[in-house]
Amino acid sequence: MHKVTRAAPASSEPAGPHTETSVLKPSPAKKGLKSLIRVAVSVGLLAALVFLFRDRLPQAVGYIRHLQPVPLLLATLWYGLFVLVSAWRWQVLLTARGLRFSTWYLTRVFVLGLFFCKLLPTSIGGDVMRIAYTAPKGRGVDAFSATFLDRLIGFVSLSFLAVASALVLFATQGLWGQNLALRKNHLGAVTASLRGDLMFALLLLILVLLVAMTLMLFNDRAHRLVSLSLGRVRFAGVGTLLDRAYSAVKQFRNHYGPLGVSFTLGIGVQTCLSFSWYHSAQAVGAAVPLVYYLIFIPLLNIVVNVPSIGGLGVREASFVALFTQSWVSGALTDSRAFAIAVVFLALDLVFALVGGLLFAFMRRPSGTA
């Protein structure tokens, strides 16, 4: 039995208008449409990958059949560490709001959330399950704010890691002025390219925008200015999402210590995932240096937010596209890149299935909403 410390008494701070009960639930038809879109994107991309690599599938299967066990074990251990550090980062933010749970309990809840993120074509998502397992009655706003900010800081951390790694790579390899191929046709001719300095500028722009959005949510005046233009936007519930984000983030004003620790642990989370991918690649004999994983894997973790089943199909297609570029040191062949993506997908699904077992047998603490 896990030990869960009783949450601290409810804060005297007003919860604001956006509690968990005030959010409008989407209609069954809208939820069904979103699920259908997710399934279509994932199945369509996977089918496209299989079709494009139909001539290379035997070679990819050969790589998988001859996996090296030691790198595969290391990839699994790094994935497990990713889960543990993710739970620790989440715990820091929950504790800042007076919600105290053991790291072991939150680790299991995080794995449980992977089941909903990776395997189900649903709009529920792992984050909602994480909130459900950490929200005592009357404290839903606090649980939501910690989980939302955990996700937001995660995006900032992964963008920072990608920019820092790209800076090191571009500076040491002299890629600033080179035209880096982005896409080639079936004859091998480059059909799309981008200068190294412009590519780095795009990475930096992503980081700046994420930081600016985070700071905006912490500032009352900036929030009011943005609300004037976006507050009434109904498409995709932008206005409502903005207000909920603001209500969540403002709970953490003056919690500078936990925010700093969360950001640092966020870099650790992305580093663990990058190492897991790196060793998965080593298991099939790949020789791409680690620094490329530190740049590309955080980018993959942004791309996978395209509506799909846990990024299924989107991630695999993006991995193949990135790691087969000719300017990448030790660039992969299509078949080897596809094999690596399948190996990591299998690793991902194993942890998600463990989460499914936890969901079947794990009970929420008494007193949660």
Side-chain angles (χ1 to χ4, degrees):
M1 294 294 290
H2 57 268
K3 182 179 179 180
V4 181
T5 307
R6 184 181 300 273
S11 171
S12 59
E13 180 180 356
H18 299 285
T19 64
E20 66 274 20
T21 59
S22 65
V23 180
L24 293 178
K25 295 183 178 180
S27 65
K30 183 178 291 187
K31 291 174 63 177
L33 178 60
K34 289 182 178 179
S35 297
L36 183 61
I37 292 174
R38 291 171 183 266
V39 172
V41 170
S42 291
V43 173
L45 283 172
L46 285 176
L49 280 174
V50 172
F51 177 77
L52 291 174
F53 297 151
R54 61 190 182 281
D55 297 332
R56 305 179 184 88
L57 282 179
Q59 189 175 6
V61 172
Y63 288 132
I64 295 174
R65 290 179 61 184
H66 295 90
L67 285 173
Q68 300 178 34
V70 174
L72 185 60
L73 175 61
L74 290 173
T76 305
L77 292 176
W78 278 109
Y79 196 103
L81 187 59
F82 146 72
V83 171
L84 181 61
V85 177
S86 297
W88 183 15
R89 182 184 68 180
W90 182 30
Q91 181 188 43
V92 168
L93 296 176
L94 285 169
T95 302
R97 295 305 303 154
L99 301 176
R100 295 179 173 84
F101 301 91
S102 68
T103 306
W104 172 233
Y105 173 74
L106 293 179
T107 299
R108 286 180 289 163
V109 175
F110 187 88
V111 175
L112 184 153
L114 291 178
F115 173 71
F116 286 88
C117 284
K118 306 294 183 182
L119 294 178
L120 297 181
T122 172
S123 59
I124 294 178
D127 287 343
V128 172
M129 298 306 299
R130 290 166 62 190
I131 294 171
Y133 277 75
T134 56
K137 291 182 179 179
R139 303 295 303 278
V141 171
D142 292 321
F144 168 79
S145 63
T147 305
F148 172 82
L149 199 57
D150 176 72
R151 178 61 67 108
L152 180 60
I153 293 177
F155 278 119
V156 176
S157 298
L158 65 87
S159 299
F160 177 83
L161 179 62
V163 169
S165 301
L167 179 61
V168 173
L169 175 66
F170 282 37
T172 56
Q173 299 296 321
L175 299 177
W176 301 109
Q178 296 186 27
N179 284 322
L180 307 180
L182 299 178
R183 187 172 64 247
K184 297 181 179 180
N185 60 24
H186 65 286
L187 299 176
V190 176
T191 58
S193 63
L194 190 66
R195 279 173 54 99
D197 50 3
L198 292 178
M199 183 178 293
F200 179 79
L202 288 176
L203 288 175
L204 186 59
L205 178 61
I206 293 174
L207 174 60
V208 170
L209 290 176
L210 285 171
V211 171
M213 182 179 70
T214 304
L215 294 177
M216 178 272 295
L217 292 174
F218 276 95
N219 184 276
D220 291 333
R221 180 176 297 179
H223 172 71
R224 286 195 296 268
L225 290 175
V226 174
S227 296
L228 290 176
S229 56
L230 296 180
R232 297 184 180 181
V233 176
R234 296 184 178 181
F235 177 74
V238 170
T240 300
L241 289 174
L242 177 64
D243 286 340
R244 291 191 71 196
Y246 172 72
S247 298
V249 168
K250 74 177 184 180
Q251 306 288 330
F252 282 86
R253 291 177 179 176
N254 302 320
H255 289 295
Y256 301 114
L259 292 175
V261 172
S262 178
F263 173 77
T264 304
L265 291 177
I267 296 176
V269 166
Q270 296 306 317
T271 300
C272 290
L273 275 180
S274 299
F275 269 94
S276 185
W277 272 98
Y278 173 69
H279 287 296
S280 296
Q282 284 193 320
V284 298
V288 178
L290 175 63
V291 65
Y292 289 96
Y293 293 88
L294 294 173
I295 298 172
F296 291 153
I297 299 308
L299 294 180
L300 288 185
N301 292 331
I302 295 177
V303 172
V304 296
N305 287 277
V306 171
S308 58
I309 305 175
L312 185 64
V314 179
R315 179 179 56 192
E316 289 71 30
S318 300
F319 180 85
V320 173
L322 289 170
F323 281 86
T324 55
Q325 300 302 322
S326 58
W327 54 273
V328 172
S329 179
L332 304 174
T333 61
D334 289 345
S335 55
R336 195 185 297 269
F338 184 66
I340 294 170
V342 171
V343 169
F344 189 84
L345 172 62
L347 180 62
D348 219 18
L349 294 180
V350 167
F351 277 84
L353 289 173
V354 172
L357 292 176
L358 289 173
F359 178 67
F361 297 103
M362 183 176 171
R363 293 184 178 181
R364 286 190 287 174
S366 58
T368 52

mmCIF file of all heavy atoms in Angstrom, residues 280-301:
data_model
loop_
_atom_site.group_PDB
_atom_site.id
_atom_site.type_symbol
_atom_site.label_atom_id
_atom_site.label_comp_id
_atom_site.label_asym_id
_atom_site.label_seq_id
_atom_site.Cartn_x
_atom_site.Cartn_y
_atom_site.Cartn_z
ATOM 1 N N SER A 280 18.025 3.391 -27.752
ATOM 2 C CA SER A 280 17.175 2.610 -28.665
ATOM 3 C C SER A 280 17.819 2.544 -30.047
ATOM 4 O O SER A 280 17.794 1.501 -30.713
ATOM 5 C CB SER A 280 15.784 3.245 -28.763
ATOM 6 O OG SER A 280 15.102 3.218 -27.530
ATOM 7 N N ALA A 281 18.402 3.672 -30.465
ATOM 8 C CA ALA A 281 19.085 3.708 -31.758
ATOM 9 C C ALA A 281 20.336 2.846 -31.741
ATOM 10 O O ALA A 281 20.645 2.137 -32.715
ATOM 11 C CB ALA A 281 19.437 5.158 -32.109
ATOM 12 N N GLN A 282 21.079 2.888 -30.636
ATOM 13 C CA GLN A 282 22.268 2.048 -30.530
ATOM 14 C C GLN A 282 21.913 0.571 -30.582
ATOM 15 O O GLN A 282 22.700 -0.246 -31.069
ATOM 16 C CB GLN A 282 23.013 2.353 -29.233
ATOM 17 C CG GLN A 282 23.804 3.660 -29.263
ATOM 18 C CD GLN A 282 24.764 3.761 -28.098
ATOM 19 O OE1 GLN A 282 24.438 3.375 -26.983
ATOM 20 N NE2 GLN A 282 25.961 4.278 -28.367
ATOM 21 N N ALA A 283 20.737 0.229 -30.101
ATOM 22 C CA ALA A 283 20.309 -1.170 -30.109
ATOM 23 C C ALA A 283 20.158 -1.716 -31.524
ATOM 24 O O ALA A 283 20.222 -2.936 -31.730
ATOM 25 C CB ALA A 283 18.998 -1.319 -29.345
ATOM 26 N N VAL A 284 19.964 -0.840 -32.513
ATOM 27 C CA VAL A 284 19.870 -1.286 -33.904
ATOM 28 C C VAL A 284 21.094 -0.833 -34.702
ATOM 29 O O VAL A 284 21.066 -0.799 -35.932
ATOM 30 C CB VAL A 284 18.581 -0.789 -34.587
ATOM 31 C CG1 VAL A 284 17.359 -1.343 -33.892
ATOM 32 C CG2 VAL A 284 18.526 0.734 -34.610
ATOM 33 N N GLY A 285 22.168 -0.465 -33.996
ATOM 34 C CA GLY A 285 23.429 -0.175 -34.660
ATOM 35 C C GLY A 285 23.572 1.212 -35.225
ATOM 36 O O GLY A 285 24.438 1.438 -36.089
ATOM 37 N N ALA A 286 22.788 2.191 -34.762
ATOM 38 C CA ALA A 286 22.900 3.565 -35.260
ATOM 39 C C ALA A 286 24.103 4.258 -34.629
ATOM 40 O O ALA A 286 24.521 3.918 -33.518
ATOM 41 C CB ALA A 286 21.634 4.345 -34.962
ATOM 42 N N ALA A 287 24.648 5.260 -35.346
ATOM 43 C CA ALA A 287 25.847 5.949 -34.867
ATOM 44 C C ALA A 287 25.686 7.466 -34.858
ATOM 45 O O ALA A 287 26.664 8.196 -34.933
ATOM 46 C CB ALA A 287 27.050 5.556 -35.727
ATOM 47 N N VAL A 288 24.457 7.971 -34.778
ATOM 48 C CA VAL A 288 24.225 9.415 -34.717
ATOM 49 C C VAL A 288 24.639 9.919 -33.333
ATOM 50 O O VAL A 288 24.212 9.358 -32.316
ATOM 51 C CB VAL A 288 22.743 9.748 -34.973
ATOM 52 C CG1 VAL A 288 22.500 11.245 -34.849
ATOM 53 C CG2 VAL A 288 22.320 9.250 -36.343
ATOM 54 N N PRO A 289 25.474 10.950 -33.254
ATOM 55 C CA PRO A 289 25.923 11.463 -31.944
ATOM 56 C C PRO A 289 24.757 11.915 -31.065
ATOM 57 O O PRO A 289 23.698 12.323 -31.554
ATOM 58 C CB PRO A 289 26.817 12.650 -32.322
ATOM 59 C CG PRO A 289 27.304 12.334 -33.697
ATOM 60 C CD PRO A 289 26.147 11.647 -34.364
ATOM 61 N N LEU A 290 24.984 11.874 -29.766
ATOM 62 C CA LEU A 290 23.952 12.183 -28.779
ATOM 63 C C LEU A 290 23.399 13.597 -28.934
ATOM 64 O O LEU A 290 22.206 13.827 -28.705
ATOM 65 C CB LEU A 290 24.527 11.999 -27.369
ATOM 66 C CG LEU A 290 23.627 12.379 -26.200
ATOM 67 C CD1 LEU A 290 22.373 11.514 -26.162
ATOM 68 C CD2 LEU A 290 24.403 12.249 -24.883
ATOM 69 N N VAL A 291 24.240 14.555 -29.324
ATOM 70 C CA VAL A 291 23.806 15.948 -29.374
ATOM 71 C C VAL A 291 22.606 16.133 -30.297
ATOM 72 O O VAL A 291 21.737 16.971 -30.046
ATOM 73 C CB VAL A 291 24.970 16.871 -29.802
ATOM 74 C CG1 VAL A 291 25.414 16.579 -31.228
ATOM 75 C CG2 VAL A 291 24.580 18.342 -29.641
ATOM 76 N N TYR A 292 22.506 15.325 -31.362
ATOM 77 C CA TYR A 292 21.365 15.449 -32.275
ATOM 78 C C TYR A 292 20.067 15.025 -31.588
ATOM 79 O O TYR A 292 19.000 15.580 -31.860
ATOM 80 C CB TYR A 292 21.598 14.612 -33.530
ATOM 81 C CG TYR A 292 22.665 15.183 -34.431
ATOM 82 C CD1 TYR A 292 23.978 14.735 -34.361
ATOM 83 C CD2 TYR A 292 22.362 16.180 -35.359
ATOM 84 C CE1 TYR A 292 24.968 15.259 -35.184
ATOM 85 C CE2 TYR A 292 23.342 16.710 -36.184
ATOM 86 C CZ TYR A 292 24.638 16.253 -36.092
ATOM 87 O OH TYR A 292 25.616 16.774 -36.906
ATOM 88 N N TYR A 293 20.165 14.042 -30.723
ATOM 89 C CA TYR A 293 18.971 13.615 -29.982
ATOM 90 C C TYR A 293 18.533 14.703 -29.000
ATOM 91 O O TYR A 293 17.335 14.904 -28.785
ATOM 92 C CB TYR A 293 19.252 12.308 -29.240
ATOM 93 C CG TYR A 293 19.477 11.143 -30.166
ATOM 94 C CD1 TYR A 293 20.754 10.861 -30.655
ATOM 95 C CD2 TYR A 293 18.427 10.330 -30.577
ATOM 96 C CE1 TYR A 293 20.972 9.809 -31.516
ATOM 97 C CE2 TYR A 293 18.633 9.269 -31.448
ATOM 98 C CZ TYR A 293 19.910 9.017 -31.914
ATOM 99 O OH TYR A 293 20.120 7.980 -32.789
ATOM 100 N N LEU A 294 19.502 15.392 -28.407
ATOM 101 C CA LEU A 294 19.179 16.468 -27.467
ATOM 102 C C LEU A 294 18.501 17.645 -28.173
ATOM 103 O O LEU A 294 17.797 18.430 -27.534
ATOM 104 C CB LEU A 294 20.447 16.948 -26.764
ATOM 105 C CG LEU A 294 21.111 15.933 -25.826
ATOM 106 C CD1 LEU A 294 22.454 16.456 -25.326
ATOM 107 C CD2 LEU A 294 20.204 15.595 -24.651
ATOM 108 N N ILE A 295 18.707 17.759 -29.489
ATOM 109 C CA ILE A 295 18.035 18.801 -30.266
ATOM 110 C C ILE A 295 16.700 18.311 -30.804
ATOM 111 O O ILE A 295 15.660 18.954 -30.639
ATOM 112 C CB ILE A 295 18.914 19.254 -31.450
ATOM 113 C CG1 ILE A 295 20.227 19.851 -30.960
ATOM 114 C CG2 ILE A 295 18.179 20.284 -32.316
ATOM 115 C CD1 ILE A 295 21.218 20.129 -32.071
ATOM 116 N N PHE A 296 16.717 17.126 -31.424
ATOM 117 C CA PHE A 296 15.542 16.662 -32.168
ATOM 118 C C PHE A 296 14.449 16.074 -31.290
ATOM 119 O O PHE A 296 13.255 16.237 -31.581
ATOM 120 C CB PHE A 296 15.960 15.627 -33.211
ATOM 121 C CG PHE A 296 16.766 16.192 -34.347
ATOM 122 C CD1 PHE A 296 17.663 15.394 -35.044
ATOM 123 C CD2 PHE A 296 16.637 17.516 -34.725
ATOM 124 C CE1 PHE A 296 18.411 15.910 -36.100
ATOM 125 C CE2 PHE A 296 17.378 18.046 -35.769
ATOM 126 C CZ PHE A 296 18.263 17.237 -36.460
ATOM 127 N N ILE A 297 14.812 15.350 -30.231
ATOM 128 C CA ILE A 297 13.781 14.703 -29.420
ATOM 129 C C ILE A 297 12.877 15.727 -28.723
ATOM 130 O O ILE A 297 11.652 15.553 -28.703
ATOM 131 C CB ILE A 297 14.420 13.732 -28.401
ATOM 132 C CG1 ILE A 297 15.199 12.632 -29.144
ATOM 133 C CG2 ILE A 297 13.350 13.115 -27.517
ATOM 134 C CD1 ILE A 297 14.402 11.922 -30.224
ATOM 135 N N PRO A 298 13.430 16.819 -28.155
ATOM 136 C CA PRO A 298 12.516 17.857 -27.646
ATOM 137 C C PRO A 298 11.584 18.406 -28.723
ATOM 138 O O PRO A 298 10.423 18.707 -28.447
ATOM 139 C CB PRO A 298 13.475 18.945 -27.126
ATOM 140 C CG PRO A 298 14.697 18.201 -26.732
ATOM 141 C CD PRO A 298 14.839 17.119 -27.772
ATOM 142 N N LEU A 299 12.090 18.530 -29.954
ATOM 143 C CA LEU A 299 11.228 18.993 -31.043
ATOM 144 C C LEU A 299 10.120 17.985 -31.319
ATOM 145 O O LEU A 299 8.965 18.358 -31.583
ATOM 146 C CB LEU A 299 12.057 19.234 -32.305
ATOM 147 C CG LEU A 299 13.083 20.377 -32.239
ATOM 148 C CD1 LEU A 299 13.815 20.491 -33.573
ATOM 149 C CD2 LEU A 299 12.414 21.695 -31.896
ATOM 150 N N LEU A 300 10.476 16.699 -31.269
ATOM 151 C CA LEU A 300 9.454 15.666 -31.465
ATOM 152 C C LEU A 300 8.364 15.780 -30.404
ATOM 153 O O LEU A 300 7.181 15.574 -30.690
ATOM 154 C CB LEU A 300 10.077 14.269 -31.394
ATOM 155 C CG LEU A 300 10.949 13.802 -32.549
ATOM 156 C CD1 LEU A 300 11.369 12.350 -32.330
ATOM 157 C CD2 LEU A 300 10.227 13.935 -33.871
ATOM 158 N N ASN A 301 8.769 16.116 -29.189
ATOM 159 C CA ASN A 301 7.798 16.204 -28.105
ATOM 160 C C ASN A 301 6.892 17.418 -28.219
ATOM 161 O O ASN A 301 5.884 17.513 -27.515
ATOM 162 C CB ASN A 301 8.531 16.215 -26.756
ATOM 163 C CG ASN A 301 9.196 14.893 -26.470
ATOM 164 O OD1 ASN A 301 8.737 13.851 -26.918
ATOM 165 N ND2 ASN A 301 10.298 14.926 -25.734
#
